[in-house]
Amino acid sequence: MKLISWNVNGLRAALNKGFMDFFTKQGADIFCVQETKLQEGQVELSLPGYNQYWNYAEKKGYSGTAVFTRKEPLNVIYGMGKDEHDHEGRMITLEFDDFYFITVYTPNSQEGLKRLDYRMKWEDDFLVYLKKLEERKPVIFAGDLNVARLEIDIKNPGPNRRNAGFTDEEREKIATIIENGFIDTFRYFYPDVQGVYSWWSYRFKARERNAGWRIDYFMASSALENKLRDAVIHTEVTGSDHCPVELDIDL
């Protein structure tokens, strides 16, 4: 199976920047997007052969996720079942015969870390949600996790130490997820590769200089380790300030 995730930073904008060309060329079994920035009815996508599932934020032009899947899921869950987290369209869970698939857009701690406390609560509740699902079957989750996990996952780790996305607190939370049995699939295959990122600021010609961050992930339950085949970061693909990430897995 080929699984792809992409923070499109506005799907309507991405549609004008080659989104459908990439989608069609890849022919993924599951393709998920974050930060759609849509309300229901603002975009009608023709995706023959795919089931579409959308979670819209209540706030217009903000957040939002979607999943397009060839195989119809057994069940679909929007959000994580906690009112404090479920108004921004940040999660969709699909249940299949042998696994759960989640697309997630983790809240940004924001400038001045004004949302860091909320982010910490989200992280704790998200891990509880993951482990509850794992009691039934393995989990794959993908999306913009808004954190560079390791120093090699960011171009300039030193100056960014207390910036949103690279605080000790955020990095500890993703470390805890891994300690609880989840695999960072890109680092599983490429533990030492440097200079491969998934997000670049629109400022200061960051993408031209490859001054980026790896903040988009595919994470998988350790029970799926022997089924993992490859992980790809499509740095060549433009159309957003993020690029798509991919997981190839035998399921």
Side-chain angles (χ1 to χ4, degrees):
M1 291 183 74
K2 177 189 284 194
L3 314 178
I4 291 181
S5 172
W6 192 2
N7 179 325
V8 291
N9 192 11
L11 183 56
R12 284 172 292 180
L15 286 168
N16 293 321
K17 299 176 182 178
F19 175 85
M20 286 306 305
D21 290 340
F22 179 75
F23 181 92
T24 302
K25 181 180 178 181
Q26 292 303 309
D29 296 283
I30 300 175
F31 194 118
C32 65
V33 293
Q34 304 87 45
E35 212 171 352
T36 55
K37 296 184 176 180
L38 291 171
Q39 305 305 122
E40 186 171 6
Q42 288 187 304
V43 161
E44 296 291 336
L45 286 186
S46 176
L47 305 176
Y50 286 87
N51 301 278
Q52 302 185 32
Y53 303 95
W54 300 80
N55 194 2
Y56 306 100
E58 293 178 5
K59 180 180 177 181
K60 291 183 178 180
Y62 180 73
S63 189
T65 50
V67 184
F68 315 125
T69 171
R70 290 187 184 277
K71 184 175 181 180
E72 186 174 355
L74 303 174
N75 188 33
V76 182
I77 303 166
Y78 298 94
M80 68 170 83
K82 285 188 169 289
D83 185 70
E84 64 190 293
H85 301 314
D86 289 351
H87 294 273
E88 297 182 352
R90 292 185 177 273
M91 279 177 58
I92 306 172
T93 304
L94 306 185
E95 179 183 0
F96 295 99
D97 292 333
D98 301 318
F99 69 103
Y100 288 99
F101 179 86
I102 303 170
T103 184
V104 57
Y105 177 39
T106 302
N108 190 303
S109 295
Q110 297 184 351
E111 189 173 349
L113 303 180
K114 61 185 179 182
R115 217 179 184 199
L116 181 61
D117 289 345
Y118 170 70
R119 164 75 176 262
M120 295 296 98
K121 182 66 166 63
W122 164 282
E123 295 278 7
D124 291 342
D125 291 340
F126 182 58
L127 180 56
V128 169
Y129 179 80
L130 292 175
K131 297 306 288 185
K132 193 71 176 176
L133 292 182
E134 263 197 331
E135 292 175 4
R136 298 189 59 199
K137 57 188 77 172
V139 176
I140 299 167
F141 68 95
D144 177 359
L145 303 189
N146 262 316
V147 60
R149 182 183 149 225
L150 305 172
E151 289 199 349
I152 60 172
D153 292 325
I154 183 172
K155 177 72 169 184
N156 298 303
N160 284 292
R161 189 65 181 272
R162 285 304 295 165
N163 287 341
F166 200 62
T167 63
D168 291 345
E169 295 91 332
E170 292 162 315
R171 294 173 67 201
E172 285 168 5
K173 292 300 184 185
I174 195 167
T176 299
I177 286 175
I178 289 169
E179 289 164 6
N180 274 270
F182 286 89
I183 298 168
D184 174 353
T185 59
F186 181 76
R187 285 293 168 217
Y188 177 81
F189 289 105
Y190 308 103
D192 303 315
V193 169
Q194 300 188 40
V196 178
Y197 309 117
S198 67
W199 174 78
W200 305 261
S201 171
Y202 280 133
R203 299 182 295 171
F204 313 123
K205 297 184 177 179
R207 194 156 190 171
E208 289 180 31
R209 297 184 295 111
N210 197 30
W213 304 44
R214 187 178 72 96
I215 60 176
D216 300 87
Y217 296 79
F218 267 96
M219 307 282 278
S221 294
S222 55
L224 298 173
E225 180 178 1
N226 65 349
K227 299 181 183 299
L228 302 176
R229 293 296 172 260
D230 197 10
V232 181
I233 298 180
H234 289 276
T235 56
E236 77 284 2
V237 177
T238 57
S240 169
D241 52 349
H242 297 250
C243 72
V245 296
E246 174 181 337
L247 175 64
D248 300 325
I249 185 169
D250 284 342
L251 283 173

